[in-house]
Amino acid sequence: MTQQGREFHGQLFGYVGATLFLIALWHFATWSLKTPLLPTPEAALNATIRLLFESNLGRHFWVSTYRVIISTLLSLFFGLPLGLIMGYERRIDRFFAPLVYITYPIPKIVFLPLILLFFGLGDSSKIFLITFIVFFQILVTTRDAVRKVPSETISSLRSLGGNRVQVYRYVLLPASLPDVLTSLRLSMGTAIAVLFFAESFATTEGLGYFIMDAWSRAAPDEMFAGIIMMALLGVSLFIAVDIFETILCRWQRVKSH
């Protein structure tokens, strides 16, 4: 079996083991608490399968997935180049850094009423809010990653005739990618948490709406079906980032071997 095959099986067994552990913990909690508010794992899984076929749980899952993916791509599109430029161009950084330092610590969720007012109740307001939050995380991480690149590495390329674009292409971007992908993993958790909050009101689509609707109808098994789908969304995005890291940062695998 190849090294990649062994790593794949190791990760697969890890996910299976973690899932079994969580199910066992869930069983213990239901057995200990004995409350109808906490359904058994079997009841939640049966409700998930039933709602996927008989109801529109699949559509809510798709709507939430679409919102998170579009928001993440937009955050990368704006945050990654700006972070690279701020990390390398000191004059531009001196202008933008104070703006970032002032606006980054403000909880962006407080702007939700204003965002709903400008962008309406549809997808645009949710996508804008998640993009607004994740953008800053990617921007700051990229900027700091670029600043850690040794100046000798850049000087070597410049002394060989490399121009500014090639410095970005062959030095700064590859050097910052591992940190950017780590930031992306952290941002996934933030994006899903914000998504749940944004979908909890003023909408009729998305897993956040589905979970709160089931909660208001006192249907805990359906509520946990929504939570399971949201967990599935988070795990899928994490695995996608891992795959991108394997493809884009191959030198890290060489170093680890």
Side-chain angles (χ1 to χ4, degrees):
M1 185 183 291
T2 63
Q3 181 68 27
Q4 287 185 338
R6 285 195 293 272
E7 288 182 5
F8 173 75
H9 280 94
Q11 289 179 345
L12 184 63
F13 284 131
Y15 282 116
V16 172
T19 304
L20 292 176
F21 174 76
L22 287 174
I23 289 175
L25 203 62
W26 188 351
H27 258 300
F28 178 76
T30 53
W31 174 77
S32 304
L33 297 175
K34 292 183 172 52
T35 168
L37 298 176
L38 182 62
T40 62
E42 290 85 354
L45 288 173
N46 289 336
T48 304
I49 296 169
R50 174 172 55 82
L51 292 168
L52 278 173
F53 287 101
E54 298 176 1
S55 184
N56 52 2
L57 179 57
R59 172 163 177 75
H60 290 295
F61 178 76
W62 160 245
V63 169
S64 293
T65 304
Y66 161 77
R67 288 169 175 165
V68 171
I69 290 177
I70 295 296
S71 305
T72 304
L73 292 177
L74 286 173
S75 304
L76 275 172
F77 181 78
F78 292 109
L80 181 59
L82 186 56
L84 290 172
I85 293 170
M86 287 178 63
Y88 185 56
E89 311 287 351
R90 296 304 170 97
R91 282 185 296 181
I92 295 176
D93 184 65
R94 278 198 292 271
F95 175 76
F96 281 107
L99 291 174
V100 173
Y101 288 166
I102 292 171
T103 54
Y104 182 51
I106 299 173
K108 313 300 179 299
I109 200 76
V110 299
F111 294 109
L112 181 58
L114 200 60
I115 293 170
L116 289 174
L117 195 63
F118 279 104
F119 291 93
L121 306 179
D123 288 336
S124 302
S125 54
K126 282 78 178 172
I127 290 173
F128 181 85
L129 179 63
I130 298 171
T131 303
F132 194 30
I133 294 172
V134 176
F135 161 78
F136 278 98
Q137 296 183 0
I138 292 175
L139 169 66
V140 173
T141 303
T142 307
R143 171 181 175 267
D144 292 347
V146 169
R147 289 195 158 204
K148 288 188 294 186
V149 176
S151 58
E152 295 81 9
T153 308
I154 299 172
S155 301
S156 301
L157 181 60
R158 296 304 295 264
S159 65
L160 293 172
N163 57 33
R164 190 174 290 269
V165 174
Q166 288 170 326
V167 169
Y168 280 103
R169 167 69 179 82
Y170 296 109
V171 178
L172 301 182
L173 182 59
S176 60
L177 264 182
D179 286 349
V180 170
L181 291 172
T182 299
S183 170
L184 205 55
R185 286 193 192 88
L186 297 173
S187 300
M188 290 295 102
T190 305
I192 292 174
V194 174
L195 177 74
F196 171 75
F197 185 82
E199 290 180 342
S200 298
F201 60 92
T203 188
T204 56
E205 289 184 317
L207 290 174
Y209 164 77
F210 182 87
I211 292 170
M212 294 308 294
D213 180 63
W215 172 75
S216 66
R217 292 186 285 103
D221 57 339
E222 295 186 9
M223 184 180 76
F224 272 84
I227 294 172
I228 288 172
M229 295 304 290
M230 191 158 271
L232 186 63
L233 170 60
V235 171
S236 303
L237 293 173
F238 263 69
I239 292 174
V241 174
D242 282 348
I243 292 172
F244 281 124
E245 187 174 38
T246 303
I247 296 171
L248 298 174
C249 304
R250 293 175 185 163
W251 66 90
Q252 293 202 132
R253 296 171 58 83
V254 173
K255 281 197 300 185
S256 65
H257 296 162

